[in-house]
Amino acid sequence: MAETLKCPSCGAETEPDARNCGKCQRYLKSELECLRSIDAAVGIIKRILLFWVVVSFLAGAAYLATRRW
């Protein structure tokens, strides 16, 4: 017999491959979908951080280039 999953919203038991809860109709994400969304979010955060590092470096370089010693 297949293992059942509990709905995080209402606690009803559902089939492991179900997309929606049979009782409350809440969308149930699979573990793979959760990992993919987390991976996508981490990728976006990395790009934002890299952008700010580059902007900060360029601002510092511009300050040093225009500073009179």
Side-chain angles (χ1 to χ4, degrees):
M1 183 170 182
E3 181 180 321
T4 59
L5 300 174
K6 286 197 173 194
C7 174
S9 180
C10 67
E13 292 189 3
T14 60
E15 295 295 321
D17 58 346
R19 288 280 199 200
N20 295 330
C21 174
K23 186 176 179 183
C24 68
Q25 298 301 317
R26 180 178 175 183
Y27 178 71
L28 305 172
K29 286 187 173 182
S30 69
E31 288 181 32
L32 184 58
E33 287 174 316
C34 289
L35 290 174
R36 284 182 181 156
S37 63
I38 290 171
D39 188 41
V42 168
I44 291 169
I45 291 170
K46 283 182 181 178
R47 286 192 292 271
I48 290 170
L49 289 175
L50 180 62
F51 171 78
W52 282 109
V53 166
V54 169
V55 167
S56 298
F57 176 77
L58 292 175
Y63 172 74
L64 291 175
T66 59
R67 184 174 175 200
R68 293 185 184 190
W69 298 91

